[in-house]
Amino acid sequence: MKFIKSIIPALVAVLAVGFTACSDDDDYTAGAKSPGAYFAANLPKAVTETPDKNSFDVPVQRTAATDPASYEVSVDDPSGLFTVPSTVVFDGESLSTKLTISYDASKVETDKAYPLTLTLKNASTYGNSVYSFTFTKALPMVRKKAGPEGLGTYTYNGLFGGDDPGLTVYYEYNENNPNYRIYYVENWGGGTTFQIIMPDASKINSDGTITVYVPVQDTYATNKDGDAVWVADYYHFWVDTQGKTPEEMAPALDWSYYNPETGLFSLSNCWYIPGTTSWYGNNYEFLQLNGFPDYSVDATYSGIFTDPKGAASAVATVTSGADVNKVKTALVQAADEDAAIEAVEKEEVDGIQELKGGSTDNVLYPVSEDGVYYIVVVSYDGKGVAQNGLAVPVKIQLGKSDWAEWGQGVMCDSWVIPGYKLTNGAGNPVTNEDLIFAVNLGKSTQEAGVYALLDPYGEGFPLTASGFNSNTNATNVQFTIEGDFISFEPQYSGYTDDDWGDLEIGNTEGMLVANNPGASVAAIQAYMAQKGWEATYIDEDGFLIIPESLFGAPGIGDGSFGYSWKKSKTTIIMLPGAPASAVAKMKAKAVAKPAIKGLSHTMANKAIGADRHQKQLNPFAILRTVKLK
C-alpha cells in the first residue's frame, strides 16, 4: 500500500512560484473588435474523424452580422490530401458559419496526424486569423464509465464555488491507443460538458498518480458582468492563450493529476475572460469519482497546551475519511516520514491513540522535552489493513512559549455569540454591550507581525458555562497585521457544536488570502475596494474593528464558510495599552450596533445542505488583471 506523506508545503511553494510568473509582463494589449472574420481561440489543436467520414467542418466567427460577406481562405497542407474552399461565406444574419474541408478517406492513413494551417485574409483582430491543427483518421472511440459508478462530485474553486455531486463522468479512447483517454463531465459549470485529457494511462508517476491536463475550453458560463468565461489548467492557460512558451511553463505540466487508488482528479485550473488579461487565479479544483473508498487522513497542528498542573501536550485536529474503520495516531521522533509512519503501523512507539474512523477529533499528545517530532496518523479498513499514512513534522520548544505576552484587551464578540441564543436575564435578546469580555493577547515569538487572542473562548467567555461548547481544549485565534492590512485567516475557533462539529472564524481579508494563495496584499485590497467591502482596521482609539466577522462550519471544498451570521457582524477588540477610559468608548461603539437577535442553541440555518454549494458563484475568487507580453 502506498502511503501519502507530508507534501502540502512543497506544493504551496510551487504554486507561489507560479504566481510570481504572472505579474512581471507589461506589453500585452487585448485586440479590439474590428470588423472581419476570425477563428476562436479555443478551437481544438487536434481534429479526429472516424474512417467512414470524408469531410469535417471548421467553425468561423465574425464580429457583426450586418450584410452577407465572404472572406478569402488560404491553406498550408504539406500532404496535399485536403480540399479547402478558397472563401468562407456568411449570410446576412449570421455571426458564425462553417468551412467544410473534404478529403479522400482511402488516401488518408489511419492514426496518422496530418498538419494543416488555415489563414483568413482581412481577418478581425478580435480573434485569430490563423488556425493550425492536426487531422487524424481514427477508429471509432470506445466509451466507458469512469470509476465503478460513472458518477462523481466536482469541487469548484474559480468562477463557481462548492461541491456539485451526482455528475455523469465517462471516458473515451481509440482502440489503437487505449492509454490516451478523454474524460467527460456532463452538466458541468455553466451546463456544458467538461473535458480532462489523460495522455498516457500506463505512465504511473513515482507517487502513484497519473498526469492529466485540462485543455482550453469554453465554460458557457458568464460572470456577474455578463462576460464569457473559459477555463484551462495553469499550463495550457498560459501557453495556449497568453503567449508563454512551453519551456517557461514546463514546471506546471504535471500539476494536474489523477490518483487511480482513490479516484480523485486534482486539477490546477484557471478561470478567465478570453480576449482580455482578466483571470480568476490559479486554484485547485477536484473531481472525485464515486465508488472509491475514502481512506484519507489529515492532521493540523495547533500548538502546545499546558494543563493547570503544568503537563504539556501537543494539540492537533485529526480527520479521517468516511470509509476508515479506525485511526492510529501518535507523536513520534524518527529519521523521516517513512520511519515515523512505519513505527506507528508496527506499534513500535509508546503513546499510540486509537480513534474511530470517519470523524474529526481534537487530539492531545503528551510531550516532555524539546525536539522535532512527527504527528503520525494511519488509517485502517474494516479488515485492519493499513491504508493511508500521514506524517506532519512539528518543532516543539517547551522552554519557549510560541507567544510573548502582549497584554490584556477587551472584545465585543460577533463571531461566536450571535449564532447562539443568550438572554440578559429578562428574557430579552442581548445587546452587544452584554457580550463584552476581557481577552489576553500575545505576539508571536516565531514570526513578526503575527498576533493571537489567547484562548478567547475558554474561561471568562460568556458562553463557557452554558454547555454549548463540547470542546474544552485551549485554542488561540491568530491574526496578522501588515501595515494597514489585517487578516484573520479561516481557523478553528475553539468552539465545537454538537451538530456541526468544529467551527471556524475569520474575516474577509483572511478568506481572500486563503482562497487565493499567492495573491498580493495590494491585489486583495484593490478587489475589496472594487466590491465596496469595508476593510478591517485599527481606529484612533486603538480598537481593532472587524466589519465582517465570518463564522461557521467549514465550506465544502471551496474554503468558504457554510454559515455566516447576517446581522451584527462587527467584532471590536480593544488592543493592549489603551487607557481604562477606552472601555467606556468601546461600550459606546458596541451599543451603537443593532441588538443581536437570538437563535437556537444549535447552529441556525440548518438547511445549509449540498444545494447551497452547488454551482454557487464563488464570492471570494479574486479577478486579477495582469499585463502580459
Side-chain angles (χ1 to χ4, degrees):
M1 174 57 61
K2 181 174 231 10
F3 283 100
I4 58 174
K5 303 191 183 79
S6 181
I7 60 173
I8 295 302
L11 174 62
V12 172
V14 172
L15 288 176
V17 171
F19 274 116
T20 300
C22 300
S23 60
D24 58 358
D25 298 321
D26 55 12
D27 298 326
Y28 178 82
T29 302
K33 284 192 176 182
S34 61
Y38 65 92
F39 295 115
N42 63 334
L43 291 180
K45 302 301 181 184
V47 175
T48 302
E49 287 290 355
T50 56
D52 59 310
K53 299 293 182 62
N54 55 23
S55 68
F56 63 94
D57 294 328
V58 174
V60 185
Q61 274 74 43
R62 63 174 174 170
T63 57
T66 55
D67 296 297
S70 62
Y71 299 89
E72 292 184 21
V73 181
S74 61
V75 60
D76 180 7
D77 171 20
S79 70
L81 297 175
F82 297 88
T83 301
V84 180
S86 59
T87 59
V88 60
V89 180
F90 292 84
D91 64 28
E93 300 178 352
S94 297
L95 286 171
S96 62
T97 188
K98 296 178 180 178
L99 186 69
T100 300
I101 299 175
S102 59
Y103 55 91
D104 184 341
S106 66
K107 297 180 180 179
V108 175
E109 297 180 37
T110 301
D111 291 332
K112 179 178 179 179
Y114 293 90
L116 290 164
T117 297
L118 306 177
T119 302
L120 291 168
K121 188 176 181 180
N122 299 325
S124 169
T125 57
Y126 179 66
N128 295 330
S129 61
V130 178
Y131 173 37
S132 295
F133 60 99
T134 60
F135 174 84
T136 303
K137 183 181 75 172
L139 293 174
M141 299 291 283
V142 176
R143 175 180 292 194
K144 290 189 175 182
K145 64 181 181 182
E149 301 177 14
L151 298 172
T153 296
Y154 194 93
T155 299
Y156 299 93
N157 196 21
L159 181 70
F160 299 118
D163 285 8
D164 202 355
L167 300 178
T168 297
V169 186
Y170 60 91
Y171 67 92
E172 293 182 344
Y173 62 86
N174 183 309
E175 290 181 340
N176 286 344
N177 186 14
N179 288 319
Y180 180 87
R181 300 175 181 179
I182 305 176
Y183 284 78
Y184 298 91
V185 183
E186 293 187 344
N187 196 29
W188 176 92
T192 186
T193 298
F194 178 67
Q195 293 187 22
I196 305 169
I197 308 297
M198 183 178 290
D200 189 349
S202 68
K203 185 177 180 181
I204 309 297
N205 299 321
S206 60
D207 60 358
T209 63
I210 301 172
T211 299
V212 299
Y213 68 84
V214 177
V216 173
Q217 51 198 295
D218 192 340
T219 68
Y220 295 96
T222 58
N223 66 8
K224 65 180 183 60
D225 298 320
D227 299 314
V229 179
W230 290 359
V231 71
D233 64 26
Y234 189 83
Y235 175 87
H236 289 87
F237 165 68
W238 284 111
V239 172
D240 291 350
T241 70
Q242 302 295 329
K244 291 286 185 180
T245 67
E247 292 74 21
E248 287 177 293
M249 298 310 302
L253 269 173
D254 59 355
W255 283 9
S256 297
Y257 51 91
Y258 171 69
N259 187 328
E261 292 188 6
T262 63
L264 179 66
F265 288 85
S266 300
L267 310 172
S268 175
N269 283 348
C270 291
W271 294 65
Y272 61 98
I273 300 173
T276 74
T277 57
S278 298
W279 60 297
Y280 290 88
N282 169 232
N283 301 303
Y284 266 91
E285 299 189 318
F286 305 94
L287 171 63
Q288 176 63 63
L289 301 180
N290 288 9
F292 287 81
D294 181 5
Y295 295 126
S296 62
V297 286
D298 193 16
T300 303
Y301 174 62
S302 302
I304 297 298
F305 172 68
T306 304
D307 67 18
K309 296 181 179 180
S313 297
V315 184
T317 301
V318 175
T319 303
S320 57
D323 297 295
V324 175
N325 178 260
K326 67 178 180 181
V327 168
K328 291 181 182 179
T329 182
L331 188 67
V332 180
Q333 285 188 302
D336 53 37
E337 292 99 328
D338 288 323
I341 292 171
E342 184 177 359
V344 172
E345 185 187 0
K346 293 182 177 181
E347 298 189 347
E348 296 174 342
V349 293
D350 296 328
I352 294 177
Q353 302 180 55
E354 190 168 303
L355 310 174
K356 182 180 178 180
S359 64
T360 298
D361 300 277
N362 292 306
V363 183
L364 276 70
Y365 306 87
V367 60
S368 59
E369 60 182 27
D370 295 350
V372 176
Y373 294 79
Y374 291 99
I375 294 175
V376 178
V377 186
V378 181
S379 65
Y380 293 81
D381 62 18
K383 297 180 180 180
V385 178
Q387 294 294 326
N388 283 309
L390 178 72
V392 178
V394 295
K395 183 178 182 180
I396 293 177
Q397 294 178 291
L398 297 178
K400 293 183 179 180
S401 171
D402 290 337
W403 303 102
E405 182 179 352
W406 188 8
Q408 190 176 72
V410 178
M411 180 162 76
C412 175
D413 174 69
S414 283
W415 272 309
V416 174
I417 296 177
Y420 292 81
K421 187 176 183 179
L422 185 69
T423 67
N424 59 11
N428 300 314
V430 299
T431 66
N432 289 28
E433 183 179 12
D434 298 300
L435 310 182
I436 295 174
F437 56 96
V439 290
N440 292 314
L441 291 98
K443 296 181 179 180
S444 172
T445 60
Q446 311 296 319
E447 187 175 357
V450 178
Y451 303 86
L453 303 170
L454 302 177
D455 192 22
Y457 299 117
E459 293 297 328
F461 178 56
L463 290 186
T464 296
S466 67
F468 293 157
N469 191 4
S470 59
N471 174 48
T472 58
N473 295 331
T475 303
N476 302 326
V477 174
Q478 298 185 32
F479 59 100
T480 60
I481 300 177
E482 184 178 346
D484 61 351
F485 185 78
I486 302 173
S487 171
F488 288 75
E489 290 196 36
Q491 60 194 282
Y492 176 51
S493 65
Y495 221 80
T496 300
D497 183 82
D498 290 338
D499 295 313
W500 285 84
D502 291 346
L503 302 176
E504 293 187 351
I505 63 177
N507 68 345
T508 303
E509 289 89 340
M511 179 69 76
L512 292 172
V513 168
N515 280 7
N516 298 274
S520 67
V521 166
I524 292 176
Q525 289 177 322
Y527 182 70
M528 291 181 66
Q530 172 194 341
K531 294 293 185 182
W533 294 349
E534 188 176 358
T536 297
Y537 64 99
I538 298 175
D539 71 6
E540 68 279 359
D541 295 313
F543 296 130
L544 194 159
I545 310 292
I546 306 169
E548 296 287 335
S549 302
L550 303 178
F551 169 64
I556 304 175
D558 64 347
S560 69
F561 294 104
Y563 168 82
S564 180
W565 181 245
K566 302 301 183 186
K567 297 294 181 184
S568 302
K569 289 187 177 181
T570 301
T571 289
I572 305 172
I573 303 171
M574 187 184 80
L575 299 177
S581 59
V583 175
K585 286 188 176 182
M586 181 172 192
K587 289 185 177 181
K589 288 177 180 289
V591 298
K593 302 297 178 182
I596 293 176
K597 298 179 180 179
L599 302 179
S600 65
H601 74 278
T602 54
M603 289 302 299
N605 194 8
K606 282 278 195 173
I608 187 72
D611 287 345
R612 178 195 182 281
H613 294 280
Q614 291 186 19
K615 299 185 184 178
Q616 297 297 307
L617 287 178
N618 185 349
F620 298 106
I622 290 184
L623 180 61
R624 300 192 193 153
T625 300
V626 294
K627 295 181 179 180
L628 313 171
K629 290 183 179 177

